[in-house]
Amino acid sequence: MSRNLAQADEPPVLDYETGAAMAPAEHAAELRLWLRLLTCSTMIEGEIRRRLRERFDVTLPRFDLMAQLARAPQGLTLSELSQRMMVSNGNVTGLVERLVESGHLSRRKSAHDRRSHLVALTPQGREAFRAMAVEHEAWIADFFGDLDASEIDGLMALLGKAKASTRRAVSAGIARPEEEDREDNP
Amino acid sequence: MSRNLAQADEPPVLDYETGAAMAPAEHAAELRLWLRLLTCSTMIEGEIRRRLRERFDVTLPRFDLMAQLARAPQGLTLSELSQRMMVSNGNVTGLVERLVESGHLSRRKSAHDRRSHLVALTPQGREAFRAMAVEHEAWIADFFGDLDASEIDGLMALLGKAKASTRRAVSAGIARPEEEDREDNP
DNA sequence: CCGGTTTGTTTTAAGCTTCAAATATTCAGG
DNA sequence: CCTGAATATTTGAAGCTTAAAACAAACCGG
């Protein structure tokens, strides 16, 4: 696990500087929303991590990587893996190395591009993942077990909107590589 | 950043084993919801992490720890910090060590319990955090900028329900410390 | 075809994170 | 008071993660 401003449980919202009860600040609602979102994903992620270790002696990053390969039977390059997992290239290098070592993954040179390597699940890797995926899906269903179908749909839709909004905000911040004194770009 | 089954963008949902389009499986909706929740928090967290580094040369865990102390001006013990941050004790030990080293935190022995130590922000730490918190709040507001007030409220409520549901599921899994042959417990 | 840019990967250094074991201290009964 | 259980913290090993630097190979425009 790790992570952030999330609270084990929400105490009254306090002002950062004084610790006093916060006056109706500018964006308190958004801040509270972020903390709650973070609490949810941290709790779920931590429990998945714990159960994967306990039941299968596997780490979450390795499970994630295998999950990506499970839906790409033809294999993926390291770059494709890092994009899909939203982690750095160097990170994937190490994960793949350990999973090849443990026999879950195979790795071969790409036929068309001598720079890249194709990675895929071995038969053992595929079978190990299948077993984990079955339980994993049941865990998730249990975590959201108190929500009915319409609530799940509602969450999906609102999170979809939040995702699009965040993507917009993040993109807007890129494209200006940190120079501040140039004349020839918007 | 890090993290999980989240996708850079949702491809068609595929079956784990075959990679074929997934038949209406038992709990596909819950799984998709989890992936989307994870994508949202991963995107936001990663961007916050990036901006904190870029603007203030500080890591997210350090910011989080300072945020906890900012709302507890009297100081906290290491255990209290680890509970509130939902991370391990050993993790806090290291973070505090580095933040004391950098002058942001003070640390003194507890008067009543010789085992524990009280940690608090120094004046410099408090001022540094104040500056970061101002921008941080604006970033969050921007990330959720495309959601109106009722959508934010709706998300808060649904995430609150998801949080309670997860807590219920996680609690139900505890209390049986791994023995499987006992007669005297439910 | 050449030279500059982009892309795929690895490496390194630093830091984060967990779990489990080890210490030290306090607490609760008897 | 003594002993065993609980609490607060630290340490160590292993693994995850990133950013940045370094390469190698591919691509592209002239």
Side-chain angles (χ1 to χ4, degrees):
Chain A
M1 189 117 47
S2 80
R3 220 123 325 92
N4 315 63
L5 291 161
Q7 296 287 312
D9 211 10
E10 258 87 359
V13 179
L14 299 181
D15 180 74
Y16 275 140
E17 293 107 288
T18 65
M22 189 153 63
E26 207 56 53
H27 300 299
E30 288 88 342
L31 207 42
R32 269 184 283 117
L33 176 56
W34 165 232
L35 297 183
R36 180 160 295 179
L37 176 59
L38 192 50
T39 298
C40 284
S41 58
T42 299
M43 284 179 58
I44 296 174
E45 184 183 322
E47 185 66 9
I48 293 174
R49 196 181 291 274
R50 206 184 60 69
R51 293 185 187 188
L52 282 176
R53 177 186 310 272
E54 175 178 299
R55 289 275 300 125
F56 301 106
D57 192 34
V58 78
T59 64
L60 183 51
R62 292 182 197 197
F63 177 78
D64 292 347
L65 196 152
M66 293 173 78
Q68 294 298 338
L69 290 177
R71 45 171 125 181
Q74 74 293 352
L76 294 172
T77 66
L78 297 182
S79 289
E80 287 171 331
L81 272 171
S82 81
Q83 283 175 240
R84 297 193 187 197
M85 297 175 71
M86 299 195 285
V87 301
S88 67
N89 282 342
N91 193 347
V92 171
T93 295
L95 285 170
V96 166
E97 179 182 305
R98 289 182 284 268
L99 282 165
V100 168
E101 163 68 25
S102 67
H104 293 94
L105 262 56
S106 67
R107 175 185 179 141
R108 59 192 163 77
K109 295 195 176 86
S110 163
H112 308 301
D113 188 332
R114 271 181 298 175
R115 292 169 303 179
S116 70
H117 295 249
L118 256 282
V119 175
L121 288 173
T122 60
Q124 311 96 284
R126 185 165 294 276
E127 171 53 24
F129 178 74
R130 193 201 56 74
M132 296 189 285
V134 170
E135 292 207 26
H136 176 264
E137 181 161 342
W139 298 339
I140 303 299
D142 186 27
F143 297 153
F144 292 115
D146 295 349
L147 279 67
D148 64 33
S150 74
E151 290 170 327
I152 289 177
D153 290 348
L155 252 186
M156 273 296 281
L158 287 171
L159 287 174
K161 190 149 188 178
K163 176 176 156 183
S165 181
T166 301
R167 196 187 300 286
R168 183 260 317 144
V170 170
S171 305
I174 298 180
R176 46 156 171 61
E178 98 256 26
E179 294 82 30
E180 41 215 10
D181 48 306
R182 282 167 58 181
E183 307 173 27
D184 56 351
N185 62 355
Chain B
M1 186 116 49
S2 80
R3 222 120 327 89
N4 314 64
L5 292 161
Q7 297 286 311
D9 211 11
E10 258 87 0
V13 179
L14 300 179
D15 181 73
Y16 276 141
E17 293 107 288
T18 65
M22 189 153 64
E26 206 56 52
H27 299 299
E30 287 89 341
L31 207 42
R32 269 183 283 117
L33 175 56
W34 165 232
L35 297 183
R36 179 160 296 180
L37 176 59
L38 191 50
T39 298
C40 283
S41 59
T42 299
M43 283 179 58
I44 296 174
E45 183 183 324
E47 185 66 9
I48 293 174
R49 196 182 293 275
R50 207 184 60 68
R51 293 185 187 188
L52 282 175
R53 178 186 307 274
E54 175 179 300
R55 289 276 300 125
F56 302 106
D57 193 33
V58 77
T59 65
L60 183 50
R62 292 182 196 197
F63 177 78
D64 292 346
L65 196 153
M66 293 172 78
Q68 294 297 339
L69 290 177
R71 43 171 126 182
Q74 75 292 353
L76 295 172
T77 66
L78 297 182
S79 290
E80 287 170 332
L81 273 172
S82 81
Q83 283 175 241
R84 298 192 186 197
M85 296 176 71
M86 299 195 284
V87 301
S88 68
N89 282 342
N91 193 348
V92 171
T93 296
L95 284 170
V96 166
E97 179 182 305
R98 289 182 284 267
L99 282 165
V100 168
E101 163 67 24
S102 66
H104 293 92
L105 262 56
S106 67
R107 175 186 179 138
R108 59 193 163 77
K109 296 195 174 87
S110 164
H112 306 302
D113 188 334
R114 272 181 298 177
R115 293 169 302 179
S116 69
H117 294 249
L118 257 282
V119 174
L121 288 173
T122 60
Q124 312 95 285
R126 184 166 295 277
E127 173 53 24
F129 178 73
R130 193 201 55 73
M132 296 189 285
V134 169
E135 291 207 27
H136 176 264
E137 181 162 343
W139 298 338
I140 303 300
D142 186 27
F143 296 154
F144 292 116
D146 295 350
L147 280 67
D148 63 33
S150 75
E151 289 170 326
I152 289 178
D153 290 348
L155 252 185
M156 274 297 282
L158 287 171
L159 287 173
K161 190 150 188 178
K163 175 176 157 184
S165 180
T166 300
R167 195 186 300 286
R168 183 261 315 143
V170 170
S171 305
I174 298 180
R176 45 157 171 62
E178 97 257 29
E179 292 83 31
E180 41 215 11
D181 47 306
R182 283 168 56 181
E183 308 174 26
D184 56 349
N185 61 355

